[in-house]
Amino acid sequence: MKKEADSLIDNVKELFPEIQESSAKDLDESEYEEGLPLVLNKFIRSLEAISRMPVKPQNIQECSNGLESIEKLKLASKAGFGILDKIGECTEKTPAHKPVWEQICLLKKVNTAFEDQSQKLISLLSRWRNLEKSEKEDDIDFQPLLGFLLVYSQIFAA
């Protein structure tokens, strides 16, 4: 399970190299009993950090790439749930199950944040494509521009 968790964190670092390394210490094979529930700790903390810094694209390509990255993170999150389920089976009815449950709750919150970001980027990408199409057709219609600006300001006005 540790190898799977390490693989997940490596994939996240590949997508978002700017993410800071978590301060959680690396686990050793000999720390099985207390370490097993914390195998995904770095992975979950990294996802949590990414979920707090939404993608703010500057062009349509960045928007598309950001959406693709969020979708990959959602898949990684799903794999994390699978690992936590396995760990939960091993720690069920023990005091070690509490950190597993806390990580599951945290991963659910992160997943919800990613879903929200994904929906916003889908909406923005749709408006951006309408704007791009309108620019190419040069039909002097301001509605695509106004629609894009409205959605962009709603998403990123903070």
Side-chain angles (χ1 to χ4, degrees):
M1 284 189 228
K2 181 164 178 2
K3 287 180 186 174
E4 289 177 49
D6 289 343
S7 172
L8 286 175
I9 192 68
D10 289 342
N11 290 342
V12 168
K13 285 180 187 175
E14 228 174 81
L15 288 172
F16 291 87
E18 66 274 7
I19 286 299
Q20 300 283 329
E21 182 68 33
S22 175
S23 61
K25 73 175 191 111
D26 281 330
L27 300 171
D28 190 5
E29 297 278 337
S30 63
E31 300 173 310
Y32 175 79
E33 206 169 296
E34 63 274 357
L36 181 62
L38 303 176
V39 162
L40 282 179
N41 205 22
K42 279 185 176 181
F43 170 70
I44 293 171
R45 296 294 172 208
S46 296
L47 287 184
E48 184 181 29
I50 293 168
S51 73
R52 282 188 255 128
M53 53 177 226
V55 176
K56 190 171 182 178
Q58 300 297 318
N59 56 47
I60 194 168
Q61 187 60 42
E62 282 182 21
C63 188
S64 181
N65 292 344
L67 181 60
E68 188 178 311
S69 294
I70 295 295
E71 293 301 321
K72 287 179 181 178
L73 288 175
K74 286 170 35 179
L75 288 174
S77 174
K78 188 175 181 179
F81 275 120
I83 293 171
L84 281 175
D85 280 342
K86 292 176 189 175
I87 293 171
E89 290 173 6
C90 297
T91 61
E92 196 172 12
K93 298 180 183 179
T94 69
H97 193 65
K98 186 178 184 228
V100 174
W101 179 250
E102 290 170 354
Q103 289 178 32
I104 288 172
C105 291
L106 189 57
L107 201 52
K108 284 181 182 180
K109 286 180 187 176
V110 166
N111 223 22
T112 301
F114 286 149
E115 189 60 42
D116 184 47
Q117 286 181 23
S118 177
Q119 291 303 315
K120 287 177 179 178
L121 287 176
I122 288 170
S123 176
L124 183 63
L125 190 59
S126 169
R127 297 295 179 143
W128 222 323
R129 287 182 177 145
N130 286 342
L131 177 61
E132 196 174 67
K133 180 181 172 190
S134 175
E135 286 175 352
K136 287 178 183 172
E137 293 174 357
D138 194 28
D139 58 8
I140 310 174
D141 185 10
F142 286 100
Q143 292 307 313
L145 175 61
L146 294 175
F148 168 77
L149 291 174
L150 179 68
V151 169
Y152 195 88
S153 65
Q154 286 174 344
I155 293 172
F156 298 114

